[in-house]
Amino acid sequence: MEGEGNRTHIKWTIEGMGDKHYAHIAKIAKGLPDGMLYDRGIPALMAKTLGLAFAIGEITHLPNVMDRGETVLALAVGKVNGKSALGVVTDSRVFFLDKGLVAVRESLTAFDLGVIQTVHTTKSAGGESLTITYSGMTAVMTHIPHGSGDTLAEAIRSAKAAQSASAPAALGQVQSPDVIGQLERLAALRSQGILTEDEFQVQKSSLLAKG
């Protein structure tokens, strides 16, 4: 437990055999009084975002892959590399999450807002496509419901602008994020088989570029 102002942060885990850890956490969370858990802005977005019924597994799992205090700004369903995924924009990064049918198939690709160079959308009869250029590479999400691709793009631009505006102006007041802690978490995901080596290296480069 850790105090912060008028809040108390509690880090909790469930240990046991099998792959039902996160399912147990979600079940316990549902039984807690309203307002006890930080909802990260997810319920409000679910009420106004199309197609999220197809990503309930990913949405339920979202809090487990987010950092403390991280807030979701936009959500959208679509496809990444031909597979269904949930696109998420937060106040610090963008990521695509595919929960899969079992835990070992989970795929998470994330990159910090600071390394994003360009973002744009295209439209077709099959939906919208979002293309993000970051650190000299590109990430593309396709088959996004009409309007939701633009919503993701605008959320990314707004979040980047807010991040730049909040950066310390005075010399020597450079923010120092917990890069080491995030690298350790990425390494753990790789060792569990959740991230491939290529995905690990992309996200590692993103974090180091930010740091």
Side-chain angles (χ1 to χ4, degrees):
M1 300 177 65
E2 180 181 339
E4 182 181 328
N6 61 353
R7 294 182 177 183
T8 299
H9 298 284
I10 302 174
K11 182 178 180 180
W12 55 324
T13 60
I14 293 178
E15 296 182 358
M17 298 179 65
D19 58 5
K20 302 298 183 182
H21 305 76
Y22 293 135
H24 290 315
I25 290 177
K27 186 178 295 184
I28 293 172
K30 287 182 179 180
L32 295 176
D34 291 341
M36 180 170 285
L37 294 181
Y38 175 43
D39 66 20
R40 301 177 182 274
I42 298 171
L45 290 171
M46 289 181 65
K48 62 180 183 181
T49 305
L50 297 174
L52 293 186
F54 299 102
I56 293 301
E58 285 78 8
I59 291 172
T60 301
H61 189 51
L62 261 184
N64 302 318
V65 299
M66 295 179 67
D67 296 326
R68 192 178 81 185
E70 192 174 9
T71 300
V72 180
L73 305 178
L75 296 170
V77 293
K79 290 188 176 183
V80 177
N81 296 325
K83 296 182 179 180
S84 297
L86 178 69
V88 184
V89 180
T90 78
D91 51 0
S92 62
R93 58 181 173 152
V94 179
F95 59 88
F96 302 130
L97 174 64
D98 172 18
K99 185 67 170 60
L101 297 177
V102 292
V104 295
R105 283 189 51 207
E106 178 181 299
S107 174
L108 174 69
T109 302
F111 27 93
D112 184 80
L113 290 170
V115 302
I116 294 177
Q117 297 161 322
T118 63
V119 55
H120 71 272
T121 57
T122 56
K123 307 179 192 307
S124 67
E128 297 182 348
S129 295
L130 175 73
T131 301
I132 301 171
T133 302
Y134 64 102
S135 300
M137 297 176 284
T138 58
V140 181
M141 187 177 203
T142 63
H143 296 82
I144 306 171
H146 286 289
S148 293
D150 286 336
T151 298
L152 287 181
E154 182 56 34
I156 294 171
R157 296 186 187 105
S158 297
K160 282 180 64 64
Q163 192 178 72
S164 297
S166 63
L171 185 64
Q173 292 184 333
V174 179
Q175 292 179 332
S176 179
D178 184 14
V179 176
I180 294 178
Q182 293 182 62
L183 284 173
E184 290 175 345
R185 188 178 70 174
L186 288 176
L189 291 173
R190 180 183 60 177
S191 65
Q192 295 167 18
I194 295 174
L195 290 180
T196 65
E197 179 63 30
D198 288 343
E199 290 170 337
F200 171 78
Q201 293 298 334
V202 167
Q203 295 181 51
K204 176 183 175 182
S205 297
S206 173
L207 284 174
L208 292 177
K210 175 184 176 181

